[in-house]
Amino acid sequence: MTETGIANTINDHRILIVGGSGGVGKTSVSAALGLAAARAGHRTLVLTIDPARRLAAALGLEGIGPSAEDVTPRLRESGHPVNGELHAMMLDARRTLDRLVERHAPTPERRDRILGNRLYQNIAGRLSGSQEYAAMQQLEEIAASGDYDRIILDTPPTTQAMDFLTAPERLQAFFDSNLIRIFLTVGERAGRGFFRVSDVLFRALERLTGAQVIGDIAEFFQLAECIFQPFNAQAARARRLLRARSTTFMIVTGADLQQLREAKRFWKALGPMGINVAHLLVNRWRPPLGQTTDPPPDPGDALAERIATWHAALEDLAQQQNRAIDALAAECAPGLIRLPELPGTIHTLDGLSEMSERLLSSHSDH
Amino acid sequence: MNAAFDRRFLFVTGKGGVGKSLVSAALAARAAHRGERTLWVEMAESPRGGQLFPGFEPRYELTPIKDSLWGMNLRLQPAIEEYLAVVFKLPLITRLIARNTLFQVLTGALPGLDSLIPLGKLWYELERRRAGRPYWDRIVLDAPATGHALTMLRFPQTALDMVRSGNVAERTRDIDAVLRDRRLTALIAVTTLEELPVDETCELLGQVHTDTPYRFDAVVCNQTLPDIGGIEADRYQRWLAGATDAGLDALAAADPAARERLRDLDARREQQQAWQRRLEDCSVPLIDAPWCPSTDDPARLAAMIEALNDP
């Protein structure tokens, strides 16, 4: 809850995590923050997930793979030179998990069998939480490598912002060692009766899914036993990294009441988890213009009437939103910043550069 | 009115944040206003029902909202519990099983279960009868966001490839029949006219139409901005650009800052039209739902009901 501007936040933290609900402009904000950090002279990485095509084009990221790309030369060529460096990387959840398996599997044969297991493929590709889990693992890896002074993580687009933090822990529970032990036993005893409770459990599971799935699970746990320990160790390091003093969150929200409510819930949940929040950024804010009372338009002029109606509606909405933002700021929301809507969307480097400048010159409330 | 909205089962999906809950709630409330016995089903960790219908508390159990409208929040765990109770016919044991942590973790990770169980519950409610007639005149599902919705829609084909007999296969065939039947079921996508939601919607439609035998019947374009100029577009544009106009210059909106705000609104409307043209390539009927400049959820719901009645 410090009263710092964004420039100070970038100065004081090595890792900045940009979180919030889907559709609020997290990726644009992350890119603009990356640009600001690079301008301040830092060797910066923006780790992003599935950005809008036009934003990707603006950054020169179209078609790049999951390895870091240096966009500094492109910035220079287009008239936006930076003192530091700006690198960008696209997160690929499936590739990240595959790489972890490749690194930790004891033999190539074991590695191939894990990667080919149906349950693994399901977890890696589709299970809710796998993208968030991969993002955390990748962040930890990059931070440990020491390759960058500043890392900006654009979190995956979940509707509920909290998913980003709870999903990895739910997935983690899946890898819990007690589970493994039970399933290893199941594998050895061909899925039958070592003690009654689990016997009933497995019967229930079979009813739900068919016996084949149970076999897949048992095989997966036997194969993958060797990678759980390193997976867990890395996840624990990632959780510590999230709570480190050099890591901070920026919560991005829109100005809609629903979005503000969600942002507030997110912010309130982070504190008790021991996670720092430096800013709550209200993106695409449309400031009210002040009280204006319309003289009644000429009743015969339909256009004048429509304009008056919509003018009043726009002003009314802006004032309602602004009141809600004021209320949030009064609750001491950390470094609340209002970032006015930029004309057009951020789809050029010029647009991104302007957003970056506005971020740096913005002031926190109070 | 789009005839698809009058089918008995409406499956409503869309990218997070585009107003999927609002549209599905409006479709349900609209049917209930006409006296139809209607069930509105959310599938959310933090359901929206309480904000849209003040006084209503969404939970797994069917709960009356008002008139002939009922609501439920279809969560996986209580649905599994109910399913097991039906299979084992012993409620106490099933509760012990279903609340076991190990069991919860496993079922959370099992492929397809998060599709099979909710779809199975919906099938059950669709099949329910009273005095020879369907118990529900209409069921509106506020389905999960596009990613999970796609998984749900792909589920029957995937499952039938893997499992040919037994309880699971049987139930899956029932679900497949419901989703195929275009007199019974309508698939509806909700989007806003912006880059990412439109991209995601086109992708969803393409994938469902390629991978499954099911078809989307309508795309609701939510938050369509007003065409203030209308038939006087030229006059409005000239005035926005700064020209004087005796009838308009007296308005408070003629103030430079206010005029800039209106200009910005119009520029965004033009962008929306470009995104709408992209959606037209998907060959699914588009329905505009106007932007409602209000922060009050019940007011937005009322506006949406009106928009869907009179598109």
Side-chain angles (χ1 to χ4, degrees):
Chain A
M1 239 148 284
T2 42
E3 292 177 29
T4 54
I6 286 188
N8 286 336
T9 304
I10 292 173
N11 235 351
D12 297 344
H13 299 89
R14 185 162 162 247
I15 297 174
L16 239 158
I17 301 176
V18 181
S21 323
V24 295
K26 283 193 299 279
T27 303
S28 308
V29 169
S30 304
L33 282 171
L35 194 56
R39 279 187 174 147
H42 301 292
R43 186 177 153 89
T44 308
L45 175 74
V46 177
L47 179 58
T48 184
I49 294 122
D50 194 26
R53 279 194 250 289
R54 289 189 300 168
L55 179 70
L59 280 170
L61 294 184
E62 247 172 347
I64 75 155
S67 49
E69 197 100 343
D70 187 357
V71 294
T72 320
R74 194 182 133 71
L75 291 172
R76 199 171 38 240
E77 283 156 24
S78 54
H80 300 279
V82 294
N83 293 328
E85 287 174 34
L86 184 62
H87 299 245
M89 187 188 279
M90 207 92 81
L91 179 83
D92 181 334
R94 180 63 195 269
R95 277 283 309 265
T96 303
L97 291 176
D98 286 356
R99 260 206 340 267
L100 283 168
V101 171
E102 283 161 16
R103 174 162 341 129
H104 296 302
T107 65
E109 193 259 339
R110 179 70 70 98
R111 175 196 66 204
D112 294 344
R113 287 185 63 194
I114 295 174
L115 294 178
N117 179 276
R118 273 201 296 184
L119 190 71
Y120 172 79
Q121 292 181 344
N122 206 281
I123 293 172
R126 294 219 314 263
L127 183 68
S128 73
S130 61
Q131 208 178 38
E132 288 82 357
Y133 184 81
M136 287 310 307
Q137 300 285 60
Q138 184 147 15
L139 177 69
E140 198 280 329
E141 230 170 87
I142 293 166
S145 76
D147 284 347
Y148 301 95
D149 310 328
R150 293 293 176 272
I151 303 168
I152 290 147
L153 173 68
D154 169 27
T155 59
T158 40
T159 321
Q160 311 288 337
M162 274 309 289
D163 284 357
F164 176 68
L165 293 166
T166 56
E169 301 195 358
R170 277 202 303 264
L171 197 62
Q172 182 78 55
F174 185 80
F175 295 129
D176 186 272
S177 54
N178 286 328
L179 276 183
I180 305 167
R181 207 168 313 125
I182 288 172
F183 267 100
L184 291 176
T185 322
V186 173
E188 280 156 20
R189 301 191 181 202
R192 273 289 163 240
F194 56 101
F195 64 92
R196 292 221 166 268
V197 177
S198 54
D199 197 34
V200 175
L201 278 183
F202 293 127
R203 240 172 45 218
L205 275 173
E206 281 181 13
R207 292 276 182 110
L208 278 169
T209 62
Q212 173 58 42
V213 181
I214 306 296
D216 278 355
I217 297 178
E219 189 203 45
F220 172 70
F221 276 101
Q222 276 176 310
L223 282 173
E225 193 195 2
C226 55
I227 59 168
F228 288 130
Q229 206 277 328
F231 262 54
N232 283 345
Q234 187 173 13
R237 287 197 300 274
R239 280 201 298 274
R240 276 200 299 280
L241 189 64
L242 266 186
R243 290 161 177 80
R245 290 179 64 88
S246 56
T247 300
T248 193
F249 262 71
M250 173 181 280
I251 299 173
V252 183
T253 172
D256 273 357
L257 259 56
Q258 162 77 11
Q259 293 169 327
L260 291 170
R261 269 196 294 264
E262 179 71 27
K264 181 175 155 183
R265 229 192 342 255
F266 191 27
W267 160 53
K268 294 240 166 178
L270 288 176
M273 296 172 81
I275 293 171
N276 306 313
V277 182
H279 298 284
L280 203 152
L281 180 82
V282 183
N283 195 20
R284 300 184 194 138
W285 173 58
R286 299 201 176 87
L289 302 174
Q291 292 297 332
T292 45
T293 41
D294 238 322
D298 177 356
D301 193 338
L303 179 60
E305 279 181 38
R306 281 199 301 277
I307 292 174
T309 307
W310 280 100
H311 168 71
L314 289 173
E315 181 60 21
D316 195 43
L317 180 67
Q319 287 186 10
Q320 284 182 45
Q321 291 181 339
N322 213 38
R323 273 197 296 275
I325 299 167
D326 284 343
L328 196 55
E331 276 193 66
C332 234
L336 189 136
I337 288 171
R338 296 168 218 232
L339 193 67
E341 167 92 351
L342 293 167
T345 43
I346 317 288
H347 58 273
T348 61
L349 260 182
D350 289 341
L352 209 57
S353 174
E354 190 183 338
M355 185 178 201
S356 172
E357 271 156 32
R358 287 197 190 202
L359 271 174
L360 287 180
S361 62
S362 61
H363 296 286
S364 309
D365 278 28
H366 317 298
Chain B
M1 194 60 227
N2 190 301
F5 291 169
D6 287 328
R7 296 192 198 148
R8 248 185 89 218
F9 177 43
L10 308 181
F11 183 107
V12 183
T13 182
K15 183 174 161 59
V18 298
K20 173 174 69 65
S21 297
L22 188 68
V23 169
S24 66
L27 286 169
R30 168 182 170 272
H33 283 177
R34 295 192 301 222
E36 297 168 12
R37 192 175 169 82
T38 304
L39 176 62
W40 178 54
V41 183
E42 287 187 273
M43 292 180 64
E45 204 163 305
S46 6
R48 294 284 314 281
Q51 285 147 25
L52 292 167
F53 302 104
F56 165 57
E57 283 174 32
R59 50 205 165 99
Y60 183 73
E61 290 72 28
L62 301 174
T63 310
I65 299 176
K66 58 176 180 184
D67 308 328
S68 53
L69 181 60
W70 295 62
M72 76 174 288
N73 188 17
L74 211 180
R75 303 294 298 156
L76 188 60
Q77 284 308 329
I80 288 179
E81 224 169 281
E82 190 183 51
Y83 183 80
L84 286 178
V86 173
V87 173
F88 283 89
K89 299 185 177 67
L90 285 172
L92 183 64
I93 288 189
T94 59
R95 201 171 307 144
L96 288 175
I97 296 172
R99 303 220 167 141
N100 177 288
T101 319
L102 167 60
F103 186 81
Q104 292 195 355
V105 170
L106 284 175
T107 51
L110 280 178
L113 210 61
D114 55 350
S115 299
L116 170 69
I117 298 291
L119 287 170
K121 168 71 176 169
L122 287 161
W123 168 81
Y124 170 80
E125 293 296 340
L126 282 165
E127 283 290 295
R128 239 170 113 176
R129 303 209 150 237
R130 189 173 56 177
R133 292 199 60 243
Y135 186 81
W136 300 108
D137 296 319
R138 197 173 306 278
I139 297 180
V140 183
L141 174 66
D142 181 3
T146 37
H148 185 192
L150 180 62
T151 309
M152 278 174 79
L153 292 172
R154 275 179 176 154
F155 165 77
Q157 269 59 48
T158 317
L160 288 173
D161 280 349
M162 289 165 66
V163 195
R164 295 255 152 74
S165 60
N167 196 312
V168 172
E170 213 172 288
R171 180 55 40 84
T172 306
R173 269 191 281 274
D174 293 331
I175 293 166
D176 177 55
V178 165
L179 292 173
R180 270 174 200 265
D181 185 348
R182 297 190 76 190
R183 284 160 310 166
L184 171 67
T185 301
L187 303 187
I188 297 160
V190 182
T191 187
T192 50
L193 296 169
E194 296 166 282
E195 182 178 14
L196 284 178
V198 166
D199 275 355
E200 209 170 297
T201 304
C202 291
E203 225 163 274
L204 171 76
L205 265 50
Q207 282 174 326
V208 168
H209 293 174
T210 316
D211 298 355
T212 79
Y214 320 132
R215 293 292 168 265
F216 271 88
D217 296 281
V219 175
V220 176
C221 303
N222 192 20
Q223 298 174 14
T224 306
L225 293 171
D227 180 11
I228 297 176
I231 51 166
E232 292 181 89
D234 289 344
R235 180 184 169 207
Y236 185 51
Q237 292 302 331
R238 277 197 303 274
W239 180 74
L240 282 182
T244 54
D245 183 310
L248 307 180
D249 287 347
L251 298 171
D255 174 76
R259 218 188 286 200
E260 194 191 324
R261 186 162 66 184
L262 288 167
R263 222 172 14 241
D264 174 54
L265 187 74
D266 208 60
R268 284 190 286 131
R269 182 185 65 85
E270 274 178 23
Q271 260 172 17
Q272 284 195 337
Q273 287 181 322
W275 291 116
Q276 185 149 33
R277 281 192 289 278
R278 187 135 187 243
L279 275 175
E280 279 161 8
D281 296 342
C282 299
S283 311
V284 171
L286 304 183
I287 290 152
D288 285 341
W291 177 58
C292 173
S294 167
T295 53
D296 179 54
D297 277 329
R300 278 155 86 162
L301 181 62
M304 180 63 73
I305 293 171
E306 202 177 309
L308 293 176
N309 275 330
D310 179 27

